[in-house]
Amino acid sequence: NAGVTQTPKFQVLKTGQSMTLQCAQDMNHEYMSWYRQDPGMGLRLIHYSVGAGITDQGEVPNGYNVSRSTTEDFPLRLLSAAPSQTSVYFCASSYLGSGPQHFGDGTRLSIL
Amino acid sequence: RKEVEQDPGPFNVPEGATVAFNCTYSNSASQSFFWYRQDCRKEPKLLMSVYSSGNEDGRFTAQLNRASQYISLLIRDSKLSDSATYLCVVTLPTEYGNKLVFGAGTILRVKS
């Protein structure tokens, strides 16, 4: 059972670089979401999607783009990386937006 | 006011103690509630859903008070392995359905 798969697990970027964090789930879940977690803080919602073609902003969307062309995939794009985006990023999915979420292992991102 | 608020703790308790956490939420339209557990630098994992009538799973009991807009988690006979951060999760209605929002977490340290 793959569940929710995030890649890469670790990444170091230079300020101004762009990159895409990948998230894939094989549970046919409609709801997918991206969170960031900073030291001593909880998970903050970046973007979420309730199904293919539908995305919406969360609490901290600035500097990030998402798209949802398929049910399985929900990539998160950093357009121009900034040191403030150094964080641990978690992707999660659930059958519905009202259901319990399954999390990926996280991506640890450092921006120098 | 934050959408979901928790006492960050830490709660330092001896083994065998009973400890309770509360979580308040601001949107009366919230319908689904969960407690998650997160170990250091790991992904959050579902501990239990919270039902209107209250529910119990072994040493863990969750309660929901809609009138006062809070949920609680009671842990009886604390074990060393219960040491973790406990995250309260609430669904919030949006124009696209629901989104899930996390509290910042409550740290529990169980000591021998």
Side-chain angles (χ1 to χ4, degrees):
Chain A
N1 272 347
V4 179
T5 303
Q6 288 185 238
T7 55
K9 294 196 184 310
F10 302 92
Q11 184 71 48
V12 179
L13 292 177
K14 293 181 179 179
T15 298
Q17 286 185 311
S18 62
M19 81 160 292
T20 299
L21 307 186
Q22 302 291 346
C23 177
Q25 52 89 11
D26 61 358
M27 297 172 282
N28 202 31
H29 285 169
E30 291 294 329
Y31 184 92
M32 295 185 74
S33 54
W34 276 102
Y35 298 87
R36 62 176 288 174
Q37 186 172 35
D38 301 300
M41 297 183 69
L43 280 77
R44 292 185 291 170
L45 183 64
I46 304 172
H47 287 284
Y48 69 101
S49 169
V50 298
I54 306 170
T55 64
D56 194 17
Q57 296 180 352
E59 182 185 355
V60 287
N62 292 341
Y64 307 96
N65 271 0
V66 292
S67 60
R68 184 95 179 271
S69 56
T70 67
T71 299
E72 294 77 20
D73 300 298
F74 190 44
L76 178 72
R77 297 182 188 83
L78 279 70
L79 308 173
S80 177
S84 61
Q85 293 178 304
T86 293
S87 189
V88 179
Y89 291 84
F90 289 105
C91 177
S93 74
S94 60
Y95 181 62
L96 293 172
S98 56
Q101 292 191 296
H102 301 256
F103 280 82
D105 292 340
T107 295
R108 283 149 182 81
L109 182 63
S110 293
I111 298 161
L112 308 176
Chain B
R1 182 183 173 188
K2 289 184 181 178
E3 293 167 324
V4 181
E5 294 200 69
Q6 296 182 249
D7 181 344
F11 285 65
N12 295 302
V13 303
E15 274 187 292
T18 295
V19 62
F21 310 133
N22 279 346
C23 166
T24 58
Y25 59 96
S26 60
N27 193 322
S28 60
S30 295
Q31 292 294 321
S32 299
F33 309 89
F34 309 95
W35 282 103
Y36 277 72
R37 171 196 169 122
Q38 185 176 29
D39 295 290
C40 187
R41 297 177 66 79
K42 301 274 192 164
E43 76 277 16
K45 294 188 176 177
L46 179 67
L47 181 65
M48 58 197 303
S49 302
V50 185
Y51 302 119
S52 296
S53 56
N55 48 301
E56 187 174 306
D57 182 2
R59 297 181 293 108
F60 299 85
T61 300
Q63 297 277 355
L64 168 62
N65 185 318
R66 287 191 185 274
S68 301
Q69 294 182 203
Y70 75 84
I71 66 174
S72 63
L73 177 68
L74 181 77
I75 305 175
R76 290 180 298 277
D77 189 22
S78 298
K79 312 290 185 191
L80 293 174
S81 57
D82 292 333
S83 296
T85 298
Y86 290 84
L87 303 167
C88 166
V89 185
V90 173
T91 60
L92 295 178
T94 74
E95 61 179 299
Y96 301 106
N98 287 295
K99 64 180 180 181
L100 290 98
V101 178
F102 281 72
T106 298
I107 297 170
L108 172 64
R109 297 181 185 142
V110 182
K111 300 190 184 292
S112 58

